[in-house]
Structures are given as structure tokens and as C-alpha cells.
Amino acid sequence: MEEWIPLLDIFLKSPSPETEAALWLDEASISFSSSSSSSSSSSPINRSSFVSLLKKQSYINDQNSSPSANKVMFIETLPNMVQSRILSFLLYDHRRFCGKDLVWLAREMLGGGKEVDFWVQRAAQNLLDIMPERKFDWISRLDLGSDDDGSIVEEFDSVPDWLTEKKGGCAGAILPWLPVSCADVDSETLVVDSCNEEDVMTQGRDNMEVDHREAVDEDDHEINVALQPDVHEMAVNLRAKVMSCESTSEVLALCDEIRKLCLMKGRDCLRVLALVEPWNAEDETAAVLLSNLLSGNEEEESGWPSQILCSTVLPKFLALEKSASRVLMSATIEFCKIHQRAAEYGLVFPLMLRKEGINTFICEVISRVLKECWHLGHISSFCQKLLCGRTKERKIMFLPCHRDLISDDMTWNESLFILFQNILTHDVPLTQGSVDCLVSKVQEMAERYCKSLKFGNFLLHFISKCAPMLHAHKYPLIESVKCTNSLVTKSILSKLNAL
């Protein structure tokens, strides 16, 4: 086991474990081969033995679990971060491993009803998706020897027996293969024929437009309808106080009233806050609200810290057209240091997804929050989620009235590239998936920002910081950079050619 410690160290500490692990295995395998004659009793060090180590079964003592649940693989005893990095390495270097072993390992990680970490599950699924064996191994379980191709095709194209019987006893069917008579169809159902197809489709479009407008109207008034009249009246009164507070003591009293109104059992905080409109307060008032709306008893899981952020400072930053005030920025930083998850859900994610794209001033806000409030690993995980995650996997919190300001995807512009440059300058260890997504965006945007110095500086930092993970993208990147014509184009090409 001791001979594998350096490799596990790479997965634990390296910013680019995939390439370093592949290099270590190559060197260790060569060293073992050259010294095998003198120490023939030692176990080999190669890719096959590494997978065998990962698959090695261990037993844990848990009397409350079944014997099968007490049986775990060696890889499952490692920290979640190390597990996901190992699986990413197996994906990166999968052509040099036995495919059946990788498929078996990935399935074991995903199967058995075990609770698996999100990133471990994602890495195992990616590994399983890329392996060709999984697409065809089900064929071996089918008994196809007694049937010829003609009978299989005929059986596939044939109508089921129950539908054939129905068809025989159904007169006046709408369609010859569907046993539904005209009498079974409701009179309001649209039946399109060649004569009135255009009229019917026009009618359908008109109905859809009416339905859409009704849905929008209902959504606009949903906040008012969902709250009790007395709660609605109290929220409106608090809104007036938010605008008229002049002293700190008044704001502190206001914090108590807002907190009591929002945190009453069974009450929707977001709807109440949307009526109170705390984001319309002066920056000094908003800073006091942000610092005092939490009483200290609320847990992060309750969502209250995220709701405070998205209703107090998020709308201010979404509309930012100049540098944020020092008092508001200081209060935001102190809040985000303590409530990092709330900062992700209720501030940074929505700002990154601003429909018009972030500007220079919003870029400054996000950069300060990331740099002063989050750990490097948290920033790396956030970038992975932002660049590679599916939309439904993102947990974002904002008020319904601000929905039109936020998009489902990032709007790429120069300020966004500057933000990622700031992240790289902060020595954040990006994952291979994040690097691949950034390369894709660089190729897509190279012509648009061909003369942009900001885009060029991002590329320069990107290649310098992520060089070990860019070997596979070297030539596509060179072609993209050749489309640009900025002051740093030659420097970028020089660095790419040196990969």
C-alpha cells in the first residue's frame, strides 16, 4: 500500500491531478520494470494494479447495517474530493485502462442504493457515459439465436393484438390505425383537416396567446393573493418605514419587525420581502438591515440568510452603474464571510446570470466576494457548477419581481472574461471540466473579440495558469488565437506553441 501514497497525494493536493497522475504512473511502471529482477516479490505498479487497488473490498463494522452494506471498495474509503478526482483521471486516461474494469467500477459507485456525493456521482456517470461497452453489453443477455432478421423486423412493426382487436370492432374511427371513434372525441377538440387547417391553427395560436397573458397576469398578482390582508397591510407599512428611517435605532427596530413578519410559521418570506422592498433603502440603511436582520438563531438551511441577501443587496448590485458604496460593500463582505452558501445562492449566482451580462462594477463586486469570503476549493466548485452544471442543478434565489433581470445562462462579454482572469490570478485550481468549457467559449468568442485587449489578457493568464490541462486543446486554440489581432496575440501564440 505504501507505494501508492505518492499517487494518492497527487489526487489530494495537485491542481491538475489528471496529467500528473498519468505521468507518475508511467514513470513508476518504467521504474518497476527496470528493478523487477532484483525485487520480484513486490507487487507491480501499473494502471491495472491501480484499478485493482480501487476495487479492493474492505469491511466496516456497523451492526445496524446489512452485511452487503458493510462491504465497501477501497475507493469509497477515500474523501469525496479524492474519489471524484480519481474518477476524472480514469475518464481522462480511459483508453489506457481495461474498459470492463472501468465500467464495473463506475456501476459499483453508482449502484447499490448508497448515498453518493454529487461530484463523485457526476464523475462516475461521466466515466460510464464515455465507455463504449455500456452501450452494447445488454445484447449479450438477449436470446437472438433462434430468430432471423426478418421476423424481428416484422414483430417490431406489427400492431399489438389488443389494438388489432379494438380496431376490428370500431366503426368510424378517426384514424385507420387508432381505434377512437368520432363520438369519443369531445366537441371542443381540434381536428385539423386539409380544408380548415389554417383557420384552426390560427385559432390555436390565439388561444395560446390568451392563456399566456392570463398566466402572466396571475403571476404578477400572486404575491398579493397569497398573503393574508393583515400581513399585506403590515408589509406595506414597513415599506414606508424603510424609505423614511433616519436613525440607526429606527432601522434596528425595523429589523425586528421585518424578521417577525417574515419568519412567522407557514409564511412565505420572499413574498413578504417583495412587498417590503428593502432594496429601495439608502445604502447606509441597507447595510444596517443586512447586518441585523439575522438574530443569530436561524440556520443556513432555513434559507433566511439567502433571502436577506437577495432582497436587500442583490437588486442594488443588479442595477449597478457605478462603483458600489464602501459602506454597502463592507456590510456585504462581512455577511458573505459568515454565510458563504447564502452568498452563492442569493448573490453571486444571480449576478453571474444577469440577463444583460455583468459590467465592470458588478465584476468588482463578485471578485471581492470570491477573493475575501470563499476558500479556493469553494470557488473551483462554483466555477464547475456554473460552467458545466445543468441549469436545474443550480440553486439560485431571487425575488419573483426580479425574474426578468436574470437569465438561465451567462451572457458572455469582456467583463465576464475579466472576472475569470481575476479568478485565475487568485490561483484557483480549476477542474478539467471547467477548463474544457472555457476553451469552448474562447473558440466561440475569438472572432467577436479579435481586437480586445481584455480578452487577450484573459487568454494569456488562462494559458499560463492552466497549461497542463490544455495539451489536448493546443491546436484548436492556436487556430482561434490566429483570428485575433491584439497587442498580446504574439505572446499568446508563443505560449501555446511551447505547450
Side-chain angles (χ1 to χ4, degrees):
M1 177 62 198
E2 291 182 0
E3 63 270 19
W4 296 106
I5 291 177
L7 181 59
L8 297 176
D9 255 354
I10 290 174
F11 289 118
L12 183 63
K13 300 175 182 177
S14 172
S16 54
E18 292 88 354
T19 51
E20 285 193 34
L23 184 62
W24 185 91
L25 276 172
D26 290 338
E27 293 176 351
S29 180
I30 294 171
S31 300
F32 177 82
S33 300
S34 61
S35 60
S36 58
S37 56
S38 59
S39 55
S40 57
S41 59
S42 60
S43 58
I45 299 178
N46 52 38
R47 282 167 171 76
S48 178
S49 59
F50 178 55
V51 175
S52 299
L53 173 69
L54 299 177
K55 293 165 59 178
K56 186 178 179 180
Q57 301 287 344
S58 303
Y59 293 88
I60 57 175
N61 294 323
D62 188 356
Q63 297 178 353
N64 299 325
S65 303
S66 62
S68 59
N70 288 337
K71 195 176 180 182
V72 297
M73 296 182 293
F74 172 75
I75 187 175
E76 293 176 296
T77 65
L78 301 173
N80 290 331
M81 182 192 74
V82 177
Q83 291 184 45
S84 65
R85 286 182 158 206
I86 289 175
L87 292 169
S88 296
F89 162 67
L90 296 178
L91 172 65
Y92 167 79
D93 211 22
H94 70 276
R95 290 183 181 85
R96 302 181 68 183
F97 286 91
C98 173
K100 291 182 180 179
D101 287 343
L102 297 187
V103 171
W104 185 90
L105 180 66
R107 282 178 174 164
E108 284 296 311
M109 295 293 289
L110 295 169
K114 298 172 288 189
E115 185 176 350
V116 185
D117 176 74
F118 170 79
W119 293 113
V120 175
Q121 181 182 10
R122 188 71 176 274
Q125 188 61 58
N126 289 342
L127 178 60
L128 199 58
D129 287 341
I130 205 171
M131 300 306 298
E133 286 80 2
R134 71 183 293 270
K135 300 174 184 175
F136 308 109
D137 60 355
W138 57 273
I139 296 178
S140 61
R141 298 195 291 271
L142 300 178
D143 183 16
L144 302 178
S146 59
D147 295 321
D148 58 357
D149 292 341
S151 62
I152 294 174
V153 173
E154 183 179 353
E155 182 179 355
F156 181 81
D157 290 335
S158 61
V159 179
D161 295 337
W162 65 269
L163 194 54
T164 306
E165 294 172 3
K166 268 291 235 186
K167 176 185 171 184
C170 182
I174 294 177
L175 299 172
W177 49 268
L178 184 64
V180 177
S181 65
C182 295
D184 295 333
V185 180
D186 186 63
S187 60
E188 295 181 0
T189 302
L190 296 178
V191 181
V192 180
D193 57 29
S194 58
C195 299
N196 63 353
E197 178 178 356
E198 185 175 350
D199 295 338
V200 171
M201 293 306 292
T202 303
Q203 178 187 350
R205 281 194 297 269
D206 292 342
N207 291 339
M208 288 174 66
E209 290 174 3
V210 171
D211 292 342
H212 175 70
R213 285 193 296 271
E214 290 174 355
V216 171
D217 292 341
E218 289 174 3
D219 187 58
D220 287 343
H221 297 292
E222 188 176 6
I223 293 174
N224 297 341
V225 172
L227 296 175
Q228 297 293 330
D230 57 332
V231 176
H232 183 276
E233 184 179 353
M234 291 172 66
V236 172
N237 291 335
L238 289 177
R239 179 170 61 198
K241 290 183 180 181
V242 165
M243 301 296 294
S244 61
C245 281
E246 295 181 354
S247 66
T248 303
S249 58
E250 290 179 353
V251 181
L252 293 176
L254 180 63
C255 289
D256 291 336
E257 293 184 58
I258 294 175
R259 186 167 53 249
K260 289 176 183 177
L261 187 63
C262 289
L263 298 182
M264 189 72 68
K265 188 175 181 181
R267 193 163 289 165
D268 192 333
C269 299
L270 289 180
R271 300 187 191 283
V272 175
L273 290 169
L275 283 172
V276 176
E277 299 181 2
W279 65 88
N280 285 328
E282 295 292 333
D283 286 357
E284 291 78 7
T285 303
V288 178
L289 287 172
L290 190 61
S291 304
N292 293 277
L293 276 173
L294 274 174
S295 65
N297 300 323
E298 303 89 351
E299 296 182 357
E300 192 87 20
E301 287 73 13
S302 68
W304 178 234
S306 302
Q307 292 164 354
I308 293 173
L309 272 177
C310 76
S311 62
T312 307
V313 296
L314 173 62
K316 287 180 174 290
F317 291 146
L318 283 171
L320 208 58
E321 295 296 337
K322 61 180 181 179
S323 294
S325 66
R326 183 177 299 179
V327 63
L328 185 63
M329 202 64 228
S330 298
T332 303
I333 292 296
E334 291 305 315
F335 189 96
C336 293
K337 283 180 180 177
I338 302 171
H339 306 284
Q340 297 180 9
R341 192 185 304 175
E344 179 179 338
Y345 301 159
L347 183 64
V348 182
F349 248 138
L351 286 178
M352 295 290 286
L353 298 176
R354 184 176 183 252
K355 186 170 287 186
E356 297 178 2
I358 66 171
N359 56 33
T360 305
F361 308 109
I362 297 174
C363 177
E364 291 175 2
V365 171
I366 298 174
S367 297
R368 282 197 61 186
V369 171
L370 297 185
K371 184 178 180 180
E372 299 182 32
C373 305
W374 289 6
H375 183 269
L376 296 181
H378 188 176
I379 302 175
S380 178
S381 173
F382 171 77
C383 291
Q384 172 85 9
K385 214 181 300 182
L386 183 71
L387 292 166
C388 314
R390 300 182 182 92
T391 303
K392 62 182 180 182
E393 293 169 356
R394 299 171 180 164
K395 294 182 180 179
I396 308 174
M397 188 168 290
F398 51 84
L399 297 179
C401 53
H402 299 135
R403 181 67 186 89
D404 291 340
L405 302 176
I406 297 168
S407 176
D408 292 330
D409 297 302
M410 286 184 292
T411 301
W412 287 84
N413 56 19
E414 288 184 329
S415 296
L416 191 56
F417 283 113
I418 291 173
L419 176 62
F420 279 106
Q421 179 183 327
N422 294 340
I423 290 172
L424 291 168
T425 306
H426 192 42
D427 291 329
V428 175
L430 295 181
T431 63
Q432 185 67 52
S434 298
V435 170
D436 293 343
C437 290
L438 284 173
V439 169
S440 176
K441 280 299 171 186
V442 166
Q443 293 176 277
E444 182 182 335
M445 300 289 176
E447 290 189 13
R448 182 190 297 182
Y449 299 116
C450 60
K451 295 184 179 180
S452 170
L453 186 58
K454 295 176 181 177
F455 179 72
N457 283 330
F458 159 76
L459 267 178
L460 206 55
H461 280 78
F462 181 47
I463 295 166
S464 299
K465 298 288 185 179
C466 303
M469 292 183 276
L470 291 175
H471 291 290
H473 304 291
K474 175 179 178 178
Y475 295 106
L477 277 175
I478 288 176
E479 292 303 315
S480 298
V481 173
K482 285 181 179 178
C483 298
T484 66
N485 184 23
S486 67
L487 293 173
V488 292
T489 297
K490 290 183 179 179
S491 300
I492 296 170
L493 288 174
S494 175
K495 284 187 175 293
L496 282 173
N497 288 322
L499 289 178

